[in-house]
Amino acid sequence: MELEGGTAFSGFSEFIVKPALGSSSRGVERHSMERLLEVISGASDDQVVEAALDVETELHCDGVLIGGELAAAAVSKYDRPVLEARGNTRASIHLPEEHEMSRRARLLVADILTAAPNLDGVFHIELLVVDGAMFLGEIAMRPAGGGVAEALRRHKGLDLWDAFIRAQLGMPLPTPSLSRVSPATPWAGVLGVVPSANLSRAEQRAFLLRQPEVVSLEELDSGESRPKESCSFSWHAFFQTSTESQAYSLTERISKAI
């Protein structure tokens, strides 16, 4: 494999290498320039190389396009950048629409999607925040994984899978609308809970349901290991909280117990 555009990497000392096709952070690694050249030369499949950023916040925006126009978009944030959280319990927290970061992200996403052809479909866009600036991480024309699509359906009334399937079948898409979560608990999202080495499945279920912020559970079959990817969970725990800090506290509490 040849490394194209080498001069574009001048001024950077570390890089992200990831498969051109993939999901759940599989095969995504951070390398120095010296290690980068070794990895690229030995790769058998196409790889994407990006300058590594010291990400402070990682956002994702999920929504629907109708006729190439942005019909709906919901902005969420991971409790920490995904590459830092692989193999661990992590949260995706929906931002209230009036949140400043949500407003900025939707404007950027609208600009990004002006390049989209005249199509119906759904999208999942990752945005990286560094020193207050937002950068495009990646875009995929599919529903989000890790329980996010289901969380948006439950909390926001945005059914990405319905829109995705309709688009694939050539059926017309209904104009989506985002519902608001309870004013008393305006922060909502999903916790991806990794397999536990301490508790049985029954004990995990009981513990998660005892958390007052957890409104429902989805049990998954992910084995009993903690592989180095971002979506190998035993449970999706859907939650609502009164504040953002409570969402972080819930994540920490569950991470320590399971």
Coordinates of all heavy atoms in Angstrom, one line a residue, residues 113-176:
L113 N -23.7 18.6 4.9 CA -24.7 17.8 4.1 C -25.1 18.5 2.8 O -25.8 17.9 2.0 CB -25.9 17.5 4.9 CG -25.7 16.5 6.1 CD1 -26.9 16.3 7.0 CD2 -25.3 15.1 5.5
T114 N -24.6 19.8 2.6 CA -24.9 20.4 1.3 C -24.3 19.7 0.2 O -24.7 19.8 -1.0 CB -24.4 21.9 1.4 OG1 -23.0 21.9 1.6 CG2 -25.2 22.7 2.4
A115 N -23.2 18.9 0.5 CA -22.5 18.1 -0.5 C -23.3 16.8 -0.8 O -22.9 16.0 -1.7 CB -21.1 17.8 -0.1
A116 N -24.3 16.4 0.0 CA -25.0 15.2 -0.3 C -25.9 15.3 -1.5 O -26.4 16.3 -1.8 CB -25.9 14.9 0.9
P117 N -26.0 14.2 -2.3 CA -26.8 14.2 -3.5 C -28.3 14.3 -3.1 O -28.7 14.2 -1.9 CB -26.5 12.8 -4.1 CG -26.0 12.0 -3.0 CD -25.3 12.9 -2.1
N118 N -29.1 14.4 -4.1 CA -30.6 14.5 -3.8 C -31.1 13.1 -3.5 O -31.6 12.4 -4.3 CB -31.3 15.0 -5.1 CG -32.7 15.2 -4.9 OD1 -33.2 15.5 -3.8 ND2 -33.5 15.1 -5.9
L119 N -31.0 12.8 -2.2 CA -31.4 11.4 -1.8 C -32.2 11.4 -0.5 O -32.2 12.4 0.2 CB -30.2 10.5 -1.6 CG -29.1 10.9 -0.7 CD1 -29.4 10.8 0.7 CD2 -27.8 10.1 -1.1
D120 N -32.9 10.3 -0.2 CA -33.6 10.1 1.0 C -32.7 9.1 1.8 O -32.2 8.1 1.3 CB -34.9 9.4 0.8 CG -35.9 10.4 0.2 OD1 -35.6 11.6 0.1 OD2 -37.0 9.9 -0.3
G121 N -32.6 9.3 3.1 CA -31.8 8.4 3.9 C -31.5 8.9 5.3 O -32.0 10.0 5.7
V122 N -30.6 8.2 6.0 CA -30.2 8.7 7.4 C -28.7 8.8 7.4 O -28.0 8.3 6.5 CB -30.7 7.6 8.4 CG1 -32.2 7.4 8.4 CG2 -29.9 6.3 8.3
F123 N -28.2 9.5 8.4 CA -26.8 9.8 8.5 C -26.4 9.7 10.0 O -27.2 9.9 10.9 CB -26.4 11.1 7.9 CG -27.1 12.3 8.6 CD1 -26.5 12.9 9.7 CD2 -28.3 12.8 8.2 CE1 -27.1 14.0 10.4 CE2 -28.9 13.9 8.8 CZ -28.3 14.5 9.9
H124 N -25.1 9.4 10.2 CA -24.4 9.4 11.5 C -23.1 10.1 11.3 O -22.3 9.7 10.5 CB -24.2 8.0 12.0 CG -23.4 7.9 13.2 ND1 -23.9 8.3 14.5 CD2 -22.1 7.5 13.5 CE1 -23.0 8.1 15.4 NE2 -21.9 7.6 14.8
I125 N -23.0 11.3 11.9 CA -21.8 12.1 11.7 C -21.1 12.3 13.1 O -21.7 12.6 14.1 CB -22.2 13.5 11.2 CG1 -22.7 13.4 9.7 CG2 -21.0 14.5 11.2 CD1 -23.1 14.7 9.1
E126 N -19.8 12.0 13.1 CA -19.0 12.2 14.3 C -18.3 13.6 14.2 O -17.7 13.9 13.2 CB -17.9 11.1 14.5 CG -18.5 9.7 14.5 CD -19.0 9.3 15.8 OE1 -18.7 10.0 16.8 OE2 -19.6 8.2 16.0
L127 N -18.3 14.4 15.3 CA -17.7 15.7 15.3 C -16.7 15.7 16.5 O -17.1 15.3 17.6 CB -18.7 16.8 15.5 CG -19.7 16.9 14.3 CD1 -20.8 18.0 14.7 CD2 -19.0 17.3 13.0
L128 N -15.5 16.2 16.3 CA -14.5 16.3 17.3 C -14.3 17.7 17.7 O -14.1 18.6 16.9 CB -13.2 15.7 16.8 CG -13.3 14.3 16.1 CD1 -11.9 13.9 15.5 CD2 -13.8 13.3 17.1
V129 N -14.3 18.0 19.1 CA -14.1 19.3 19.6 C -12.7 19.5 20.2 O -12.3 18.7 21.1 CB -15.2 19.7 20.6 CG1 -15.0 21.1 21.2 CG2 -16.6 19.5 20.0
V130 N -12.0 20.4 19.7 CA -10.6 20.7 20.2 C -10.5 22.2 20.3 O -10.7 23.0 19.4 CB -9.5 20.2 19.2 CG1 -8.1 20.5 19.7 CG2 -9.7 18.7 18.9
D131 N -10.1 22.6 21.6 CA -10.0 24.1 21.9 C -11.2 24.9 21.4 O -11.1 26.0 20.9 CB -8.8 24.7 21.2 CG -7.5 24.1 21.8 OD1 -7.5 23.7 23.0 OD2 -6.5 24.0 21.1
G132 N -12.4 24.3 21.6 CA -13.6 24.9 21.2 C -14.0 24.9 19.8 O -15.1 25.2 19.4
A133 N -13.1 24.4 18.9 CA -13.4 24.3 17.5 C -13.9 22.9 17.2 O -13.5 21.9 17.8 CB -12.1 24.6 16.6
M134 N -14.8 22.8 16.2 CA -15.4 21.5 15.8 C -14.8 21.0 14.5 O -14.7 21.8 13.5 CB -16.9 21.6 15.6 CG -17.6 21.7 16.9 SD -19.4 21.7 16.7 CE -20.0 22.1 18.4
F135 N -14.4 19.8 14.4 CA -13.9 19.1 13.2 C -14.7 17.9 12.9 O -15.2 17.2 13.7 CB -12.4 18.7 13.4 CG -11.5 19.8 13.8 CD1 -11.4 20.3 15.1 CD2 -10.8 20.5 12.8 CE1 -10.5 21.3 15.4 CE2 -9.9 21.5 13.1 CZ -9.8 21.9 14.4
L136 N -14.9 17.7 11.6 CA -15.5 16.5 11.1 C -14.6 15.3 11.4 O -13.5 15.2 10.9 CB -15.9 16.6 9.6 CG -16.4 15.3 9.0 CD1 -17.8 14.9 9.6 CD2 -16.6 15.5 7.5
G137 N -15.2 14.3 12.1 CA -14.4 13.0 12.3 C -14.7 12.0 11.2 O -13.8 11.5 10.6
E138 N -16.0 11.8 11.0 CA -16.4 10.8 9.9 C -17.9 10.9 9.7 O -18.6 11.5 10.5 CB -16.0 9.4 10.2 CG -16.6 8.8 11.5 CD -16.1 7.5 11.9 OE1 -14.9 7.2 11.6 OE2 -16.8 6.6 12.4
I139 N -18.3 10.4 8.6 CA -19.8 10.4 8.3 C -20.1 9.0 7.7 O -19.3 8.5 6.9 CB -20.1 11.5 7.3 CG1 -21.6 11.5 6.9 CG2 -19.3 11.5 6.0 CD1 -22.1 12.7 6.1
A140 N -21.3 8.5 8.0 CA -21.8 7.3 7.5 C -23.3 7.4 7.2 O -24.0 8.1 8.0 CB -21.6 6.1 8.5
M141 N -23.7 6.9 6.1 CA -25.1 7.0 5.7 C -25.8 5.7 6.2 O -26.3 4.9 5.5 CB -25.3 7.1 4.2 CG -24.5 8.3 3.6 SD -24.9 9.9 4.4 CE -26.6 10.1 3.9
R142 N -26.0 5.7 7.5 CA -26.6 4.6 8.2 C -27.1 5.0 9.6 O -26.6 6.0 10.1 CB -25.6 3.4 8.3 CG -24.4 3.8 9.1 CD -23.6 2.6 9.6 NE -22.3 3.0 10.2 CZ -22.2 3.5 11.4 NH1 -23.3 3.7 12.2 NH2 -21.0 3.9 11.9
P143 N -27.9 4.2 10.3 CA -28.3 4.6 11.7 C -27.1 4.3 12.6 O -26.2 3.5 12.3 CB -29.4 3.6 12.0 CG -29.9 3.2 10.7 CD -28.8 3.2 9.7
A144 N -27.0 5.1 13.7 CA -26.0 4.9 14.7 C -26.1 3.6 15.4 O -27.2 3.0 15.5 CB -26.1 6.0 15.7
G145 N -24.9 3.0 15.8 CA -24.9 1.8 16.6 C -24.8 2.1 18.1 O -25.1 3.2 18.5
G146 N -24.5 1.1 18.8 CA -24.3 1.2 20.3 C -25.5 1.6 21.1 O -25.4 2.2 22.1
G147 N -26.7 1.3 20.5 CA -27.9 1.7 21.2 C -28.4 3.1 21.0 O -29.5 3.5 21.5
V148 N -27.7 3.9 20.2 CA -28.0 5.3 20.0 C -29.3 5.4 19.2 O -30.2 6.2 19.5 CB -26.9 6.0 19.3 CG1 -27.3 7.4 18.9 CG2 -25.7 6.1 20.2
A149 N -29.5 4.6 18.1 CA -30.7 4.7 17.3 C -31.9 4.3 18.1 O -33.0 5.0 18.0 CB -30.6 3.7 16.1
E150 N -31.8 3.3 19.0 CA -32.9 3.0 19.8 C -33.2 4.0 20.9 O -34.4 4.3 21.2 CB -32.7 1.6 20.5 CG -33.8 1.1 21.5 CD -35.1 0.9 20.8 OE1 -35.2 0.8 19.5 OE2 -36.1 0.8 21.5
A151 N -32.1 4.6 21.4 CA -32.3 5.7 22.4 C -33.0 6.9 21.8 O -33.9 7.5 22.4 CB -31.0 6.1 23.0
L152 N -32.7 7.3 20.6 CA -33.3 8.4 19.9 C -34.8 8.1 19.6 O -35.7 9.0 19.7 CB -32.6 8.7 18.6 CG -31.2 9.4 18.8 CD1 -30.5 9.5 17.5 CD2 -31.4 10.8 19.5
R153 N -35.1 6.8 19.3 CA -36.5 6.4 19.1 C -37.3 6.6 20.4 O -38.4 7.1 20.5 CB -36.6 5.0 18.6 CG -38.0 4.6 18.2 CD -38.1 3.2 17.8 NE -37.9 2.3 18.9 CZ -38.8 2.0 19.8 NH1 -40.0 2.5 19.7 NH2 -38.6 1.2 20.8
R154 N -36.7 6.1 21.5 CA -37.4 6.1 22.8 C -37.5 7.5 23.4 O -38.6 7.9 23.9 CB -36.7 5.2 23.8 CG -36.7 3.7 23.4 CD -35.9 2.9 24.5 NE -35.9 1.5 24.1 CZ -36.2 0.5 24.9 NH1 -36.6 0.7 26.1 NH2 -36.1 -0.8 24.5
H155 N -36.4 8.2 23.3 CA -36.4 9.5 24.0 C -36.9 10.7 23.1 O -37.4 11.7 23.6 CB -34.9 9.9 24.5 CG -34.4 8.9 25.5 ND1 -35.1 8.6 26.7 CD2 -33.2 8.3 25.5 CE1 -34.3 7.8 27.4 NE2 -33.2 7.6 26.7
K156 N -36.6 10.6 21.8 CA -36.9 11.8 20.9 C -37.9 11.5 19.9 O -38.3 12.4 19.1 CB -35.6 12.2 20.2 CG -34.5 12.6 21.2 CD -34.7 14.1 21.6 CE -33.4 14.7 22.2 NZ -33.6 16.1 22.5
G157 N -38.4 10.2 19.8 CA -39.4 9.9 18.8 C -38.8 9.9 17.4 O -39.6 9.9 16.4
L158 N -37.5 9.8 17.2 CA -36.8 9.8 15.9 C -36.5 8.4 15.6 O -35.5 7.8 16.1 CB -35.6 10.7 16.0 CG -34.8 10.8 14.6 CD1 -35.6 11.4 13.6 CD2 -33.5 11.7 14.9
D159 N -37.2 7.8 14.6 CA -37.0 6.4 14.2 C -36.1 6.3 13.0 O -36.5 6.3 11.9 CB -38.3 5.7 14.0 CG -38.3 4.2 14.0 OD1 -37.2 3.7 13.7 OD2 -39.3 3.5 14.2
L160 N -34.8 6.2 13.3 CA -33.8 6.1 12.2 C -33.9 4.8 11.4 O -33.7 4.8 10.2 CB -32.4 6.3 12.8 CG -32.1 7.6 13.5 CD1 -30.7 7.6 14.1 CD2 -32.2 8.8 12.5
W161 N -34.2 3.7 12.1 CA -34.2 2.4 11.4 C -35.4 2.4 10.4 O -35.4 1.9 9.3 CB -34.3 1.3 12.3 CG -32.9 0.9 12.8 CD1 -32.3 1.1 14.0 CD2 -31.9 0.3 12.0 NE1 -31.0 0.7 14.0 CE2 -30.7 0.1 12.8 CE3 -31.8 -0.2 10.7 CZ2 -29.5 -0.4 12.3 CZ3 -30.7 -0.8 10.2 CH2 -29.5 -0.9 11.0
D162 N -36.6 3.0 10.8 CA -37.7 3.0 9.9 C -37.4 3.8 8.7 O -37.7 3.4 7.6 CB -38.9 3.6 10.7 CG -40.1 3.8 9.8 OD1 -40.8 2.7 9.5 OD2 -40.4 4.9 9.4
A163 N -36.7 5.0 8.9 CA -36.4 5.8 7.7 C -35.4 5.1 6.9 O -35.4 5.2 5.6 CB -35.9 7.2 8.2
F164 N -34.4 4.4 7.5 CA -33.4 3.7 6.7 C -33.9 2.7 5.8 O -33.6 2.5 4.6 CB -32.3 3.2 7.7 CG -31.2 2.4 7.0 CD1 -30.2 3.1 6.4 CD2 -31.1 1.1 7.1 CE1 -29.1 2.5 5.8 CE2 -30.0 0.4 6.5 CZ -29.1 1.1 5.8
I165 N -34.8 1.8 6.4 CA -35.4 0.7 5.7 C -36.3 1.3 4.6 O -36.3 0.8 3.4 CB -36.2 -0.2 6.6 CG1 -35.2 -0.9 7.6 CG2 -37.0 -1.2 5.8 CD1 -35.9 -1.7 8.7
R166 N -37.1 2.3 4.9 CA -38.0 2.9 3.8 C -37.1 3.4 2.7 O -37.5 3.2 1.5 CB -38.8 4.0 4.4 CG -39.9 3.6 5.3 CD -40.6 4.8 5.9 NE -41.7 4.4 6.8 CZ -43.0 4.3 6.3 NH1 -43.3 4.6 5.1 NH2 -44.0 3.9 7.2
A167 N -36.0 4.1 3.0 CA -35.1 4.6 1.9 C -34.5 3.5 1.1 O -34.5 3.6 -0.1 CB -34.0 5.5 2.5
Q168 N -34.1 2.4 1.7 CA -33.6 1.3 1.0 C -34.6 0.6 0.1 O -34.2 0.1 -1.0 CB -33.0 0.2 2.0 CG -31.9 0.7 2.9 CD -30.7 1.2 2.0 OE1 -30.1 0.4 1.2 NE2 -30.3 2.4 2.2
L169 N -35.8 0.6 0.5 CA -36.9 0.0 -0.4 C -37.5 1.0 -1.4 O -38.4 0.6 -2.1 CB -38.0 -0.5 0.6 CG -37.6 -1.7 1.5 CD1 -38.7 -2.0 2.4 CD2 -37.1 -2.9 0.7
G170 N -37.0 2.2 -1.4 CA -37.6 3.2 -2.3 C -38.9 3.7 -1.9 O -39.6 4.3 -2.7
M171 N -39.3 3.6 -0.6 CA -40.5 4.1 -0.1 C -40.4 5.6 0.3 O -39.3 6.0 0.7 CB -41.0 3.2 1.0 CG -41.2 1.8 0.7 SD -41.5 0.8 2.2 CE -43.0 1.5 2.8
P172 N -41.5 6.3 0.2 CA -41.4 7.7 0.7 C -41.2 7.8 2.2 O -41.7 6.9 2.9 CB -42.7 8.3 0.3 CG -43.6 7.1 0.1 CD -42.8 6.0 -0.3
L173 N -40.4 8.8 2.6 CA -40.2 9.0 4.0 C -41.1 10.0 4.6 O -41.2 11.1 4.1 CB -38.7 9.4 4.3 CG -37.6 8.4 4.4 CD1 -37.5 7.5 3.2 CD2 -36.3 9.0 4.7
P174 N -41.8 9.7 5.7 CA -42.6 10.7 6.4 C -41.7 11.8 7.0 O -40.5 11.5 7.4 CB -43.3 9.9 7.5 CG -42.5 8.7 7.7 CD -41.8 8.4 6.4
T175 N -42.1 13.0 7.0 CA -41.3 14.1 7.7 C -41.2 13.8 9.2 O -42.2 13.8 9.9 CB -41.9 15.4 7.4 OG1 -42.1 15.7 6.0 CG2 -41.1 16.5 8.0
P176 N -40.0 13.6 9.7 CA -39.8 13.3 11.1 C -39.9 14.6 12.0 O -39.7 15.7 11.5 CB -38.4 12.7 11.2 CG -37.7 13.4 10.1 CD -38.7 13.6 9.0

